[in-house]
Amino acid sequence: MTISDGSAPLSAEDIARFGPDPLAVLQANLAAVEQRIASACARSGRDRASVRLLPITKTVPAHILRYAHEAGLTCFGENKIQEASSKHGELADLAIDWSIVGHLQTNKVKYLTRFAREFQALDSLRIAEALDQRLAREGRTLDVFVQVNTSGEASKFGLHPDALLPFVDALDRFPRLVPRGLMTLALFSVDMAKVRSCFVLLRALRDQAIERHPGVSGLSMGMTGDFETAIEEGATVVRIGQAIFGQRPTPDSHYWPGAEAPS
Ligand SMILES: *Cc1c(COP(=O)(O)O)cnc(C)c1O
């Protein structure tokens, strides 16, 4: 079994994870996710076009992402910069917008600005300054979402809610950054009332920020386990990995240090 463009054949590992026909699997998963997004929009009186699906592709190999592109996806979100950067290189022949949704270290800034269109995990002015300098050198801008810790868990990145407004004000100093909205990871819990309160908080913060910064209108919230609730609470971007690409082989603690099993 080979990909239509003549790329590498599927390995046994690929087949175990994505089946012998990854394109069909991804198309079916996407259709199901699309349906769920549409229903959540309908029941909350929202226009489907007001919600952007950002597929999260971490751990999915680049050659499998070719099928995702064939299935119609043109933007991919990654948590870690090295993984994103190498996939960007492998898929350079495809028109894809890359988004980085995970914590960034200052020494990785130069890799991000080379190829990413959007950074959704901004939570430090040091990183903002480093990004701005690098972008100025490259003569380009970057869309950013400011990450807020709405769950109060020590393991989560993001600003304390009280620190958000001064932080957004301070971003005015960095003309190469284009603040588009706020981002959060809700509490990992089966108690949906607690999860929902994280989304409600992010929305309230957005409503305050937008008064002084009209561009800060976006709400990136909701993942595989909670995206319908997020849409009900106003999400404009949902970041969905496993509902499209299947379960990941890596535990979430790899991405969120200290993450524990849902409580
Ligand atoms: C992995 C990841 C997601 C998607 O999680 P799923 O459970 O696979 O939908 C969303 N946001 C961030 C920041 C992630 O790292």
Side-chain angles (χ1 to χ4, degrees):
M1 172 107 20
T2 53
I3 302 178
S4 51
D5 69 0
S7 299
L10 294 174
S11 66
E13 200 183 329
D14 291 333
I15 293 170
R17 186 168 168 199
F18 302 101
D21 188 351
L23 178 60
V25 169
L26 292 179
Q27 283 170 331
N29 289 352
L30 262 175
V33 165
E34 198 35 69
Q35 180 99 56
R36 288 171 60 188
I37 293 175
S39 312
C41 285
R43 72 174 170 267
S44 40
R46 300 186 55 193
D47 185 348
R48 168 64 188 92
S50 67
V51 180
R52 166 163 66 109
L53 168 62
L54 176 57
I56 303 295
T57 52
K58 65 198 187 207
T59 79
V60 181
H63 61 276
I64 298 294
L65 291 179
R66 289 187 179 276
Y67 295 107
H69 184 261
E70 203 176 329
L73 298 179
T74 56
C75 56
F76 295 150
E78 288 278 341
N79 188 293
K80 292 187 185 283
I81 196 76
Q82 288 101 323
E83 182 177 347
S85 176
S86 78
K87 287 178 190 172
H88 166 260
E90 287 178 74
L91 301 175
D93 57 309
L94 304 180
I96 290 165
D97 285 332
W98 293 90
S99 180
I100 301 299
V101 299
H103 184 71
L104 186 69
Q105 290 164 324
T106 319
N107 61 350
K108 304 280 169 57
V109 158
K110 60 178 178 287
Y111 302 107
L112 185 149
T113 58
R114 268 179 213 155
F115 70 97
R117 191 188 65 93
E118 177 181 82
F119 175 47
Q120 290 209 353
L122 184 63
D123 64 359
S124 107
L125 290 177
R126 242 173 58 132
I127 294 283
E129 180 167 22
L131 283 167
D132 190 67
Q133 282 175 3
R134 195 81 206 177
L135 291 160
R137 229 186 286 174
E138 292 173 14
R140 50 163 300 208
T141 61
L142 180 73
D143 288 351
V144 295
F145 282 64
V146 178
Q147 184 172 356
V148 182
N149 182 342
T150 54
S151 67
E153 295 162 289
S155 65
K156 296 273 173 67
F157 293 111
L159 294 169
H160 187 281
D162 292 347
L164 177 73
L165 290 178
F167 183 90
V168 177
D169 288 344
L171 291 183
D172 283 348
R173 303 206 308 265
F174 307 116
R176 299 283 169 172
L177 300 181
V178 185
R180 297 288 190 191
L182 308 182
M183 179 274 227
T184 202
L185 278 86
L187 189 73
F188 293 120
S189 171
V190 292
D191 181 344
M192 284 318 274
K194 287 187 185 159
V195 171
R196 188 180 295 271
S197 71
C198 296
F199 299 144
V200 169
L201 173 57
L202 196 72
R203 182 185 186 145
L205 291 168
R206 189 278 315 269
D207 290 346
Q208 291 171 28
I210 203 172
E211 284 182 23
R212 296 211 291 261
H213 306 277
V216 183
S217 56
L219 282 175
S220 176
M221 54 190 201
M223 312 178 8
T224 289
D226 55 20
F227 71 86
E228 287 143 310
T229 305
I231 289 171
E232 289 166 12
E233 297 303 337
T236 66
V237 182
V238 287
R239 308 179 310 269
I240 301 180
Q242 297 177 91
I244 301 173
F245 298 103
Q247 228 184 341
R248 273 185 297 276
T250 47
D252 278 344
S253 57
H254 186 60
Y255 302 96
W256 306 290
E260 281 151 27
S263 54

